[in-house]
Amino acid sequence: MYSAVRTYDYEYPESEMDERESLYFDTISLADSEAAAAHRKSMSQSRNTIYHSAVDLADNEGRNSLRLGAAENAVLAWQPGYRQSTALEHLRETGGGGDHTDAAITAQILALQNGRGHLSTGIGVGVGGGHGRNGSGGADAGCGDDEVSRRLLRNSSTISNKDKKLPITYSQWKSRTYRRFDDGNRSVDFVLAYNGEIQLEEHRRKREIFETNLRREGLQLEHNKVQRVHFIKIHAPAELLYRYAEILKIKVPLKPIPGEDQIFAESAHEFKSCFTRMCRSLFSSVQLNTALFPERESRIHLEFSRNYLDLYDKEHPNFIDASTRYSIINFILQRQHFVEGEEMADNLGIEKLVQDGVYSCAYTLHDKDDRDRLLKEWANVSKWKNLQPLDQIKDYFGAKVALYFAWLGFYTQMLIPISVLGILCFFYGFLTWSNDPISRDICNDNGTIMCPQCDRSCDYWRLNETCTSSKFNYLIDNNMTVVFALAMSIWAVAYLEFWKRYSAGLVHRWGLTGFNHHVEHPRPQYLAKISRSEKLSGKTELQDENGKRSILDPDVPFWSIKFLPNFTSYSIMILFICISIIAIAGIIIYRMAQRASHSILGNENSMTFKVMILPMTAGIIDLIVISLLDLVYSSLAVKLTNYEYCRTQTEYDESLTIKNYVFQFVNYYSSLFYIAFLKGKFVGYPAKYNRVLGFRQEECNPGGCLMELCMQLVIIMAGKQAVNAIVEMLIPYLMRTFKELTYRHGWYKNNKDQRLVPYNQFTEDYNLLPAENNSLYAEYLEMVVQFGFITLFSLAFPLAPLLALLNNVIEVRLDAIKMLRFVRRPVGMRARDIGVWHSIMTVVTRIAVASSAMIIAFSSNLIPKIVYAASMGDPELNNYLNFTLAVFNTKDFQVEPLLGGSQYVNETQCRYTEFRNPPWDEQPYKRPMIYWKILTGRLAFIVIYQNIINMLQGILRWAVPDVSGRLMKRITRENFLLREHIIDYEKHHAMKQAQMTVNGLRQRTTDTQAPGYDDATTFVLEPRESGSWQQMIIQL
């Protein structure tokens, strides 16, 4: 029956046979034991040509011929260079066609139902004298022969004997059951998993009740108990999806409506200008592959209603797509009880069951074809310059995830112009490097002696030692600094306003216009919380006449119920922020103490201390404190949010996000704020240093505080981005690999039969990391923190936007790879925007205006230069360096330095950076009038700068509406067209129903009229000239 085909397959022993192939063989080998033995022998010769003949067991002649052919092929299989022909090859030779996999499917069902709850992977089941891989006979399975024969012979009148004898390969069997029910038709939409070894009666009873309720809702369930982890496959039929799509007010696309083409054509024509066509041709290399991701045809969307089922375009990809289907099933799972007779709000939902260990997890399945296509064209670093297939991402992950990637891509594109400006500003500093009078005077100075930078062992030093650092300081503190700060402030507002405009178009295209959190249903946890409230007792449930109880959603008053949890929650948040600030202050005092103690030891000037000991010890303590506070607060924030009354999931996510971000804001930016606004500003002067707990305050490095802020920003920003990129990919990969090896090799198990073999989609996805955080908090936090870096502090480093741009180009692809390869498919969620993150970035933008103004005023030389040039009449700033240095008499030291054998032991004067009177003045070391002029100029600059920026930002917000006029006009026209279309549909539907009623009454009148019968008179009014029908009046 089977022909031998020449090949050069690799030979390997039977013990190395792929366990998935063995599992496949176990499920279908019940049909014939002798053929199974021959096939297992050939299986060890080539794992790619595994097959099984679905033989008609009732036909003895066919069985004998198969056994003979199998024996001949078994001998031939051991000859070098030969293998058995595959099912596909045999099918081509015989010219057969059709689907021939029913035999394997029925045998697999039999294996699942034959009491083999712990089917050993790789152990063949023989019948009679057959032997499996371990040499054990399969007599226990022999009782299934009649059942196999019966199942194989069903529909025998329509299946020829030739078709029944055709083989089935492992790939054919796998394609039929990879992510489908055993019938090969129904898709697996959701999966519940639990450990089959743990047989607690309480858990079993809860699962039974829960699954019964799921079936009552209309879901279809099928158990898979082949391995130690048992799976429950869930399928949602169309009737159930229609019912809940109407309940959840899901919008779906309509069939083409007369007149919509004109609306779409006019909208598209406005986009297709000469400039856009030119840009499209220039950037053709970044466009999507239209063969894999075809452009979606525009459609008008309408909330689903079963009354208008004929109006919807069921063939459109957006018609109840996969993400919508999974969200509907998840909605059902979250609202089913698992305790019979006590249907309370606190004993329902799959989350509670997973938390209690009744189920180990619940997840949706990846789609192999769609995932492979996205991995090839989207989740691929080599495709970094290509646009993202947002429509396909929305179909696969849902609108919330798609909006995150759309926002990240838009943010990355908006970084391009500000990055170019930052590069220009940086190059301006290089080009005008030699024209800076301050750095030129510092490098040419040979006689200026500076005062010691610590109390004891620090020596005097020459000003020209800071020549290099002063030149680098000029790169970020030059005439372009204010220009860059102004552009950054305008860019931040433009980015936020244009994002709202861009996202409005996306949301409308996806049929989510008008969606908000008021449409969302209450969280089950919220209903459980209010049901336990004594103040709301009697308002949460309603019992009808039949005794059926219904859960209500009562109004929860703020001051009497919500105020105390909210006040407590945010009070604890402020407490932790204060603790974080105290910890940072403690680290600063520790650095002061280290400087003082090492001064006593006399090694303050050592390079090891300056570069290694002090920064490393302070950094380690800082890292430990911040990490501990972050760990404690992250878990505490969840508990505090659970304590509040958050009605919907959106409200819950926003409340949790605000608590976490405010705390992270202090953690991430506190050290930068300290350097920018506090460090070196209140040091004092050599005769009277300001001290904290007896320690002298830290001074800025010789290059200035702005230079130190630049260095700190580069280290934190670039280091954080590099670490996050590695951690995001390395940790999920290691966790997935460890989990796969654990289940594959049976670690922590003495019995190897307990290994989990991933042979289909739901067993493969079981090893992935859980997609628990649907709010995408970690991903948003990383990018919003980066946004804070470049808006708050990029003034100190104009290349910060460029670093962010380079990081984000890769970040988009890494996030996509992580979600497709390492994380289970998340449940799709609807969303109309990025939520509270937009409000957070708006607040950060406002803070950035004040931050930029204060950095320019107090950390740069702009205001002192302007005041000096105006007061001294020296626009060339030739004597500006001497103007900024005050004179100090060494005999006035508060703490005499221990100079030892220093060459400066006889110095009588030294200079320090301050605006103070010289020692020979009538008021020595007091503030001169020029200091107050500079301070007034700084404060005036802050006020003027903020008002100008706020005015420009307000004009920009007014000029760029949230929804474009073009889109608003289109929405208005679509709504009008939709109303008219529904009115016409209702009119024709009413006319049709009326005509059917009239015909029925006429027929009834004809049938019932007889002598002596009271004639029925029927009045049917003819339609008016306008075509409308009047009400039919029927008089009996």
Side-chain angles (χ1 to χ4, degrees), residues 466-720:
T466 62
C467 175
T468 303
S469 61
S470 65
K471 290 183 177 180
F472 278 105
N473 185 70
Y474 177 74
L475 293 178
I476 57 178
D477 187 8
N478 50 57
N479 296 332
M480 291 294 291
T481 301
V482 178
V483 176
F484 183 76
L486 180 66
M488 177 60 71
S489 300
I490 299 300
W491 171 87
V493 175
Y495 149 68
L496 293 176
E497 294 302 315
F498 280 110
W499 159 249
K500 288 191 294 185
R501 188 184 182 96
Y502 172 69
S503 65
L506 281 179
V507 168
H508 180 70
R509 190 169 78 202
W510 295 339
L512 294 170
T513 302
F515 174 78
N516 54 47
H517 68 275
H518 298 294
V519 179
E520 293 185 70
H521 283 249
R523 298 166 54 243
Q525 297 85 349
Y526 167 80
L527 297 176
K529 190 175 182 63
I530 63 176
S531 67
R532 294 190 295 267
S533 175
E534 296 180 358
K535 297 181 181 180
L536 296 175
S537 60
K539 298 181 180 180
T540 58
E541 291 186 356
L542 179 66
Q543 188 170 355
D544 58 11
E545 299 177 354
N546 300 326
K548 184 179 180 180
R549 291 183 295 182
S550 302
I551 299 177
L552 302 179
D553 180 18
D555 178 53
V556 180
F558 176 79
W559 290 106
S560 60
I561 295 180
K562 290 184 177 181
F563 173 74
L564 183 59
N566 290 355
F567 178 78
T568 304
S569 178
Y570 285 96
S571 298
I572 295 176
M573 180 191 72
I574 295 175
L575 174 63
F576 265 79
I577 291 175
C578 294
I579 294 174
S580 178
I581 295 174
I582 292 172
I584 295 168
I587 295 171
I588 295 172
I589 295 173
Y590 163 78
R591 296 177 63 175
M592 297 178 187
Q594 282 289 96
R595 186 177 294 273
S597 63
H598 282 274
S599 297
I600 295 173
L601 295 176
N603 63 346
E604 173 66 24
N605 290 322
S606 67
M607 187 59 64
T608 303
F609 173 75
K610 287 184 177 180
V611 179
M612 299 293 294
I613 298 177
L614 183 59
M616 286 184 62
T617 54
I620 292 173
I621 295 176
D622 193 7
L623 177 62
I624 293 174
V625 171
I626 289 177
S627 300
L628 290 177
L629 289 175
D630 187 16
L631 181 63
V632 173
Y633 184 77
S634 296
S635 58
L636 181 63
V638 176
K639 295 182 180 179
L640 292 176
T641 310
N642 292 335
Y643 183 53
E644 299 174 5
Y645 287 85
C646 298
R647 181 179 177 273
T648 63
Q649 188 64 39
T650 300
E651 293 178 4
Y652 180 88
D653 292 340
E654 291 182 352
S655 179
L656 180 61
T657 298
I658 291 174
K659 294 185 187 65
N660 277 314
Y661 180 78
V662 171
F663 181 77
Q664 297 294 345
F665 184 91
V666 177
N667 263 357
Y668 282 113
Y669 303 137
S670 55
S671 61
L672 296 174
F673 276 118
Y674 167 71
I675 296 173
F677 304 128
L678 297 177
K679 187 175 182 180
K681 302 298 188 296
F682 309 100
V683 176
Y685 59 99
K688 187 181 178 181
Y689 283 115
N690 297 322
R691 300 178 184 274
V692 178
L693 299 178
F695 302 114
R696 178 176 164 180
Q697 292 187 33
E698 289 185 294
E699 296 184 40
C700 293
N701 290 335
C705 286
L706 196 61
M707 184 66 186
E708 190 172 349
L709 178 63
C710 173
M711 295 174 61
Q712 189 80 358
L713 178 64
V714 172
I715 292 172
I716 293 178
M717 186 175 176
K720 176 181 175 295

Side-chain angles (χ1 to χ4, degrees), residues 59 83 495:
D59 188 350
R83 65 169 171 82
Y495 149 68

Side-chain angles (χ1 to χ4, degrees), residues 717-734:
M717 186 175 176
K720 176 181 175 295
Q721 290 177 352
V723 170
N724 285 341
I726 295 173
V727 169
E728 279 188 353
M729 298 303 298
L730 184 60
I731 291 182
Y733 173 76
L734 293 178

Side-chain angles (χ1 to χ4, degrees), residues 156 167 175 217 505 522 639 656 683 735 743 779 791 820 914 931 994:
S156 58
S175 64
E217 287 290 333
K639 295 182 180 179
L656 180 61
V683 176
M735 292 180 66
Y743 287 106
E779 287 77 11
T791 52
L820 287 171
E914 263 286 10
Y931 168 80

Side-chain angles (χ1 to χ4, degrees), residues 66-219:
L66 175 63
R67 291 176 179 174
L68 180 59
E72 294 174 353
N73 290 333
V75 175
L76 186 61
W78 290 102
Q79 297 179 7
Y82 284 89
R83 65 169 171 82
Q84 296 287 352
S85 59
T86 64
L88 182 60
E89 291 163 352
H90 180 78
L91 189 60
R92 288 172 178 171
E93 291 173 5
T94 57
D99 189 357
H100 310 287
T101 58
D102 288 339
I105 301 303
T106 53
Q108 183 190 17
I109 296 174
L110 179 62
L112 296 173
Q113 297 177 350
N114 202 25
R116 301 172 68 194
H118 298 281
L119 182 63
S120 304
T121 60
I123 302 176
V125 179
V127 182
H131 295 277
R133 174 181 290 186
N134 293 347
S136 59
D140 293 340
C143 59
D145 276 349
D146 294 338
E147 178 66 8
V148 172
S149 300
R150 185 183 65 81
R151 296 195 180 201
L152 294 180
L153 286 171
R154 69 169 181 247
N155 300 328
S156 58
S157 59
T158 59
I159 301 177
S160 65
N161 290 334
K162 180 185 71 172
D163 291 339
K164 296 176 185 176
K165 297 175 184 178
L166 287 174
I168 175 173
T169 63
Y170 167 69
S171 59
Q172 288 175 328
W173 170 77
K174 183 177 179 180
S175 64
R176 282 287 296 269
T177 61
Y178 190 67
R179 65 187 313 272
R180 293 183 176 274
F181 278 32
D182 289 340
D183 57 13
N185 296 321
R186 293 173 293 173
S187 63
V188 179
D189 298 326
F190 223 96
V191 172
L192 309 179
Y194 63 94
N195 193 340
E197 295 178 340
I198 302 176
Q199 298 293 338
L200 296 179
E201 180 61 26
E202 180 184 1
H203 289 181
R204 187 198 63 79
R205 181 59 179 165
K206 288 182 178 179
R207 285 196 296 267
E208 182 180 342
I209 296 173
F210 185 73
E211 293 166 18
T212 301
N213 291 332
L214 294 181
R215 291 189 178 94
R216 189 179 295 118
E217 287 290 333
L219 291 174

